[in-house]
Amino acid sequence: MMRIAALQMQSVPGDVQANLARIEGAAIEAARGGADLLITPELGLTGYGAGEAITALAEPVNGDQLRALQAISSANRIVIIAGFAERDEADVYNSAAFVDGDNRPAIYRKSHLYGNYERSLFKPSNPANCIVEMGGLKLGMLICYDVEFPENVRRLALGGVDMVLVPTALPAGPSGTFIANHMIQVRAFENQIFIAYVNHAGADERFTFAGNSRVAAPDGSLLSACYDDAEQLIFADIDPAAFTVSSDNNSYLKDLGSA
Protein backbone atom coordinates (compact mmCIF):
# COMPACT_ATOMS: atom_id res chain seq x y z
CA MET A 1 0.00 0.00 0.00
CA MET A 2 1.13 3.56 -0.74
CA ARG A 3 -0.06 6.82 0.77
CA ILE A 4 -0.14 9.76 -1.63
CA ALA A 5 -0.73 13.46 -1.06
CA ALA A 6 -2.15 15.88 -3.63
CA LEU A 7 -1.54 19.62 -3.39
CA GLN A 8 -4.31 21.72 -4.93
CA MET A 9 -1.96 24.67 -5.18
CA GLN A 10 -2.28 28.38 -5.90
CA SER A 11 0.86 29.04 -7.90
CA VAL A 12 2.31 32.53 -8.25
CA PRO A 13 2.68 33.19 -12.00
CA GLY A 14 6.30 33.79 -12.92
CA ASP A 15 7.68 33.33 -9.39
CA VAL A 16 9.47 29.98 -9.32
CA GLN A 17 11.02 30.58 -5.89
CA ALA A 18 7.65 31.27 -4.28
CA ASN A 19 6.22 28.14 -5.89
CA LEU A 20 9.15 26.01 -4.77
CA ALA A 21 8.66 27.32 -1.23
CA ARG A 22 4.99 26.33 -1.35
CA ILE A 23 5.87 22.85 -2.60
CA GLU A 24 8.49 22.52 0.12
CA GLY A 25 5.90 23.38 2.78
CA ALA A 26 3.52 20.81 1.33
CA ALA A 27 6.29 18.20 1.20
CA ILE A 28 6.96 18.72 4.90
CA GLU A 29 3.25 18.44 5.71
CA ALA A 30 2.74 15.44 3.43
CA ALA A 31 5.70 13.59 4.90
CA ARG A 32 4.44 14.23 8.41
CA GLY A 33 1.10 12.79 7.29
CA GLY A 34 2.80 9.58 6.20
CA ALA A 35 2.73 10.19 2.45
CA ASP A 36 5.27 8.53 0.17
CA LEU A 37 4.43 10.69 -2.85
CA LEU A 38 3.36 14.33 -3.33
CA ILE A 39 1.64 15.38 -6.57
CA THR A 40 1.40 19.04 -7.61
CA PRO A 41 -0.36 20.74 -10.57
CA GLU A 42 0.50 21.30 -14.22
CA LEU A 43 3.21 23.97 -14.62
CA GLY A 44 3.12 24.44 -10.86
CA LEU A 45 6.70 25.74 -10.82
CA THR A 46 6.11 28.62 -13.24
CA GLY A 47 2.38 29.10 -12.74
CA TYR A 48 0.06 28.05 -15.55
CA GLY A 49 -1.00 31.57 -16.51
CA ALA A 50 2.47 33.14 -16.60
CA GLY A 51 2.30 33.55 -20.39
CA GLU A 52 5.48 34.51 -22.21
CA ALA A 53 7.42 34.39 -18.93
CA ILE A 54 7.12 30.61 -19.14
CA THR A 55 9.47 30.60 -22.13
CA ALA A 56 12.05 32.64 -20.23
CA LEU A 57 11.70 30.39 -17.15
CA ALA A 58 11.98 27.11 -19.06
CA GLU A 59 14.92 24.98 -17.93
CA PRO A 60 16.54 21.68 -18.91
CA VAL A 61 16.15 18.62 -16.72
CA ASN A 62 19.50 19.34 -15.05
CA GLY A 63 18.56 22.96 -14.28
CA ASP A 64 18.22 24.73 -10.94
CA GLN A 65 14.48 24.12 -10.61
CA LEU A 66 14.63 20.34 -10.62
CA ARG A 67 17.78 20.38 -8.51
CA ALA A 68 15.83 22.35 -5.92
CA LEU A 69 13.04 19.77 -6.08
CA GLN A 70 15.59 16.99 -5.62
CA ALA A 71 16.84 18.70 -2.47
CA ILE A 72 13.28 19.03 -1.12
CA SER A 73 12.59 15.39 -1.95
CA SER A 74 15.78 14.20 -0.25
CA ALA A 75 15.29 16.34 2.85
CA ASN A 76 11.75 15.08 3.41
CA ARG A 77 12.15 11.54 2.07
CA ILE A 78 9.18 11.96 -0.23
CA VAL A 79 8.85 11.60 -4.01
CA ILE A 80 7.48 14.70 -5.77
CA ILE A 81 5.60 15.06 -9.05
CA ALA A 82 5.86 18.64 -10.32
CA GLY A 83 4.86 20.38 -13.53
CA PHE A 84 7.48 22.60 -15.16
CA ALA A 85 8.48 24.17 -18.47
CA GLU A 86 11.24 21.97 -19.90
CA ARG A 87 13.74 23.44 -22.32
CA ASP A 88 15.44 21.07 -24.75
CA GLU A 89 17.68 23.25 -26.91
CA ALA A 90 15.28 25.45 -28.94
CA ASP A 91 12.14 23.55 -27.91
CA VAL A 92 10.01 24.07 -24.79
CA TYR A 93 7.73 21.32 -23.50
CA ASN A 94 4.92 21.29 -20.96
CA SER A 95 6.43 18.60 -18.74
CA ALA A 96 6.04 16.81 -15.43
CA ALA A 97 8.96 15.48 -13.41
CA PHE A 98 9.00 12.46 -11.10
CA VAL A 99 11.62 13.48 -8.57
CA ASP A 100 13.00 10.88 -6.16
CA GLY A 101 15.86 12.41 -4.23
CA ASP A 102 19.16 12.54 -6.09
CA ASN A 103 18.07 9.98 -8.70
CA ARG A 104 17.71 11.26 -12.25
CA PRO A 105 14.14 12.54 -12.61
CA ALA A 106 11.74 10.72 -14.91
CA ILE A 107 10.16 13.20 -17.33
CA TYR A 108 6.81 13.12 -19.09
CA ARG A 109 6.07 15.62 -21.88
CA LYS A 110 2.48 16.61 -22.65
CA SER A 111 1.34 15.24 -26.00
CA HIS A 112 -2.06 16.94 -26.42
CA LEU A 113 -1.79 20.70 -26.02
CA TYR A 114 -5.00 22.53 -25.18
CA GLY A 115 -5.95 25.70 -27.04
CA ASN A 116 -3.99 28.48 -28.67
CA TYR A 117 -2.44 29.55 -25.36
CA GLU A 118 -0.54 26.28 -24.91
CA ARG A 119 0.22 25.91 -28.61
CA SER A 120 1.86 29.34 -28.62
CA LEU A 121 4.22 28.32 -25.80
CA PHE A 122 5.03 24.64 -26.18
CA LYS A 123 5.96 21.93 -28.61
CA PRO A 124 3.75 18.83 -28.33
CA SER A 125 5.43 15.52 -27.65
CA ASN A 126 4.55 12.31 -29.40
CA PRO A 127 2.21 10.18 -27.25
CA ALA A 128 4.37 7.92 -25.12
CA ASN A 129 4.32 5.90 -21.94
CA CYS A 130 6.28 7.23 -18.98
CA ILE A 131 6.09 4.49 -16.34
CA VAL A 132 8.06 4.34 -13.08
CA GLU A 133 8.07 1.78 -10.30
CA MET A 134 7.69 2.81 -6.69
CA GLY A 135 6.85 0.81 -3.59
CA GLY A 136 5.89 -2.25 -5.61
CA LEU A 137 3.46 -0.27 -7.81
CA LYS A 138 3.78 0.87 -11.42
CA LEU A 139 2.91 4.52 -11.93
CA GLY A 140 2.23 6.31 -15.21
CA MET A 141 2.06 10.03 -15.93
CA LEU A 142 -0.16 12.22 -18.10
CA ILE A 143 -0.82 15.97 -18.05
CA CYS A 144 -4.28 17.58 -18.00
CA TYR A 145 -5.87 17.36 -21.50
CA ASP A 146 -4.00 14.09 -22.16
CA VAL A 147 -6.30 12.21 -19.76
CA GLU A 148 -9.38 13.29 -21.72
CA PHE A 149 -8.28 11.04 -24.59
CA PRO A 150 -9.16 7.48 -23.54
CA GLU A 151 -6.42 6.05 -25.72
CA ASN A 152 -3.73 7.62 -23.53
CA VAL A 153 -5.04 6.07 -20.32
CA ARG A 154 -5.71 2.71 -21.98
CA ARG A 155 -2.15 2.62 -23.35
CA LEU A 156 -0.77 3.06 -19.84
CA ALA A 157 -3.20 0.49 -18.43
CA LEU A 158 -2.09 -2.03 -21.05
CA GLY A 159 1.45 -1.20 -19.97
CA GLY A 160 0.57 -2.55 -16.54
CA VAL A 161 0.27 0.60 -14.45
CA ASP A 162 -1.57 0.54 -11.14
CA MET A 163 -2.11 4.31 -11.07
CA VAL A 164 -1.96 7.30 -13.42
CA LEU A 165 -0.76 10.63 -11.99
CA VAL A 166 -2.23 13.67 -13.71
CA PRO A 167 -1.06 17.21 -12.89
CA THR A 168 -3.68 19.49 -14.44
CA ALA A 169 -4.78 23.10 -14.94
CA LEU A 170 -8.50 22.46 -15.37
CA PRO A 171 -10.45 25.71 -15.92
CA ALA A 172 -13.65 26.56 -14.11
CA GLY A 173 -16.91 26.12 -16.05
CA PRO A 174 -19.40 23.44 -17.08
CA SER A 175 -16.86 21.39 -19.03
CA GLY A 176 -14.35 21.47 -16.21
CA THR A 177 -17.00 20.42 -13.71
CA PHE A 178 -18.03 17.49 -15.90
CA ILE A 179 -14.44 16.36 -16.43
CA ALA A 180 -13.64 16.41 -12.72
CA ASN A 181 -16.95 14.97 -11.50
CA HIS A 182 -17.45 12.26 -14.11
CA MET A 183 -14.66 11.66 -16.63
CA ILE A 184 -11.87 10.99 -14.14
CA GLN A 185 -13.88 8.32 -12.32
CA VAL A 186 -14.89 6.73 -15.63
CA ARG A 187 -11.26 6.58 -16.79
CA ALA A 188 -10.35 4.82 -13.54
CA PHE A 189 -13.26 2.37 -13.82
CA GLU A 190 -12.88 1.47 -17.50
CA ASN A 191 -9.21 0.64 -16.96
CA GLN A 192 -9.46 -0.70 -13.38
CA ILE A 193 -6.69 1.59 -12.14
CA PHE A 194 -6.26 4.51 -9.73
CA ILE A 195 -6.11 8.05 -11.09
CA ALA A 196 -4.78 11.03 -9.13
CA TYR A 197 -5.94 14.26 -10.79
CA VAL A 198 -4.38 17.35 -9.20
CA ASN A 199 -5.47 20.87 -10.17
CA HIS A 200 -4.59 24.46 -9.42
CA ALA A 201 -6.49 26.49 -6.83
CA GLY A 202 -8.09 29.89 -7.29
CA ALA A 203 -7.17 32.09 -10.23
CA ASP A 204 -4.33 33.98 -11.86
CA GLU A 205 -4.47 36.97 -14.20
CA ARG A 206 -5.38 34.77 -17.18
CA PHE A 207 -7.33 31.77 -15.85
CA THR A 208 -9.81 30.75 -13.18
CA PHE A 209 -9.37 27.14 -12.11
CA ALA A 210 -12.00 24.55 -11.21
CA GLY A 211 -10.14 23.03 -8.28
CA ASN A 212 -11.91 19.71 -7.71
CA SER A 213 -8.71 17.66 -7.41
CA ARG A 214 -9.42 14.00 -6.70
CA VAL A 215 -8.10 10.48 -6.40
CA ALA A 216 -10.33 7.89 -8.08
CA ALA A 217 -10.24 4.16 -7.40
CA PRO A 218 -10.62 1.25 -9.86
CA ASP A 219 -14.29 0.81 -8.91
CA GLY A 220 -15.02 4.45 -9.79
CA SER A 221 -15.28 5.63 -6.21
CA LEU A 222 -13.38 8.61 -4.81
CA LEU A 223 -10.73 7.92 -2.22
CA SER A 224 -10.19 11.63 -1.60
CA ALA A 225 -11.34 14.87 -3.21
CA CYS A 226 -11.45 18.65 -3.03
CA TYR A 227 -14.96 20.02 -3.48
CA ASP A 228 -14.05 23.62 -4.20
CA ASP A 229 -11.19 25.68 -5.64
CA ALA A 230 -9.42 26.49 -2.35
CA GLU A 231 -5.79 25.62 -1.82
CA GLN A 232 -5.54 22.41 0.20
CA LEU A 233 -3.59 19.20 0.69
CA ILE A 234 -5.45 15.88 0.55
CA PHE A 235 -4.33 12.31 1.21
CA ALA A 236 -5.31 8.90 -0.16
CA ASP A 237 -4.17 5.34 0.52
CA ILE A 238 -3.52 3.31 -2.63
CA ASP A 239 -4.13 -0.42 -2.11
CA PRO A 240 -4.78 -2.41 -5.30
CA ALA A 241 -5.57 -5.55 -3.25
CA ALA A 242 -8.65 -3.80 -1.86
CA PHE A 243 -10.20 -3.68 -5.35
CA THR A 244 -9.72 -7.23 -6.62
CA VAL A 245 -13.49 -7.80 -6.64
CA SER A 246 -13.91 -4.84 -8.97
CA SER A 247 -11.12 -6.01 -11.29
CA ASP A 248 -12.56 -9.53 -11.34
CA ASN A 249 -16.06 -8.28 -12.15
CA ASN A 250 -14.98 -5.68 -14.70
CA SER A 251 -12.24 -7.44 -16.68
CA TYR A 252 -12.03 -4.94 -19.54
CA LEU A 253 -8.29 -5.25 -20.17
CA LYS A 254 -8.36 -9.02 -20.03
CA ASP A 255 -11.30 -9.23 -22.44
CA LEU A 256 -10.13 -6.49 -24.81
CA GLY A 257 -8.48 -8.89 -27.23
CA SER A 258 -11.16 -11.57 -27.11
CA ALA A 259 -13.84 -9.74 -29.13
Side-chain angles (χ1 to χ4, degrees), residues 21-50:
R22 181 65 190 96
I23 292 172
E24 182 175 23
I28 293 169
E29 184 179 352
R32 286 175 178 166
D36 307 292
L37 171 67
L38 170 66
I39 310 156
T40 65
E42 178 182 10
L43 295 173
L45 289 186
T46 60
Y48 183 79

Side-chain angles (χ1 to χ4, degrees), residues 110-132:
K110 190 173 187 177
S111 59
H112 292 75
L113 301 178
Y114 181 75
N116 291 332
Y117 175 74
E118 289 190 15
R119 295 185 189 106
S120 71
L121 295 171
F122 302 108
K123 179 178 180 177
S125 177
N126 292 324
N129 283 0
C130 179
I131 299 174
V132 296

Side-chain angles (χ1 to χ4, degrees), residues 43 46 54-55 57-62 65-66 83-97 104 107-110 121-123 125:
L43 295 173
T46 60
I54 289 174
T55 303
L57 293 169
E59 287 190 356
V61 174
N62 61 354
Q65 294 173 25
L66 292 200
F84 75 111
E86 180 197 355
R87 179 169 295 284
D88 184 0
E89 296 183 348
D91 298 321
V92 176
Y93 294 93
N94 182 338
S95 297
R104 180 173 176 81
I107 304 298
Y108 172 76
R109 294 171 172 175
K110 190 173 187 177
L121 295 171
F122 302 108
K123 179 178 180 177
S125 177

Side-chain angles (χ1 to χ4, degrees), residues 1-2 4 37 129-141 153-166 187-196 215-219 223 237-244 247 253:
M1 185 168 71
M2 176 190 298
I4 67 171
L37 171 67
N129 283 0
C130 179
I131 299 174
V132 296
E133 294 193 18
M134 177 184 172
L137 301 181
K138 294 180 72 173
L139 313 177
M141 288 192 286
V153 186
R154 178 56 54 84
R155 187 180 64 249
L156 286 168
L158 290 172
V161 303
D162 299 286
M163 178 165 56
V164 177
L165 313 172
V166 190
R187 290 285 176 272
F189 184 85
E190 69 190 2
N191 292 287
Q192 290 299 297
I193 57 173
F194 299 87
I195 296 182
V215 181
D219 65 354
L223 299 181
D237 292 322
I238 306 302
D239 183 8
F243 295 92
T244 54
S247 60
L253 300 184

Side-chain angles (χ1 to χ4, degrees), residues 61-62 66-80 98-106:
V61 174
N62 61 354
L66 292 200
R67 282 201 293 267
L69 281 175
Q70 287 176 310
I72 294 169
S73 171
S74 292
N76 295 284
R77 297 182 180 179
I78 190 168
V79 176
I80 300 171
F98 177 95
V99 177
D100 183 5
D102 292 331
N103 296 319
R104 180 173 176 81

Side-chain angles (χ1 to χ4, degrees), residues 172-213:
S175 294
T177 299
F178 180 86
I179 290 163
N181 290 344
H182 300 285
M183 186 180 289
I184 300 307
Q185 288 92 305
V186 169
R187 290 285 176 272
F189 184 85
E190 69 190 2
N191 292 287
Q192 290 299 297
I193 57 173
F194 299 87
I195 296 182
Y197 186 75
V198 185
N199 198 15
H200 286 264
D204 58 34
E205 61 264 32
R206 286 182 171 85
F207 301 98
T208 299
F209 301 103
N212 291 322
S213 301

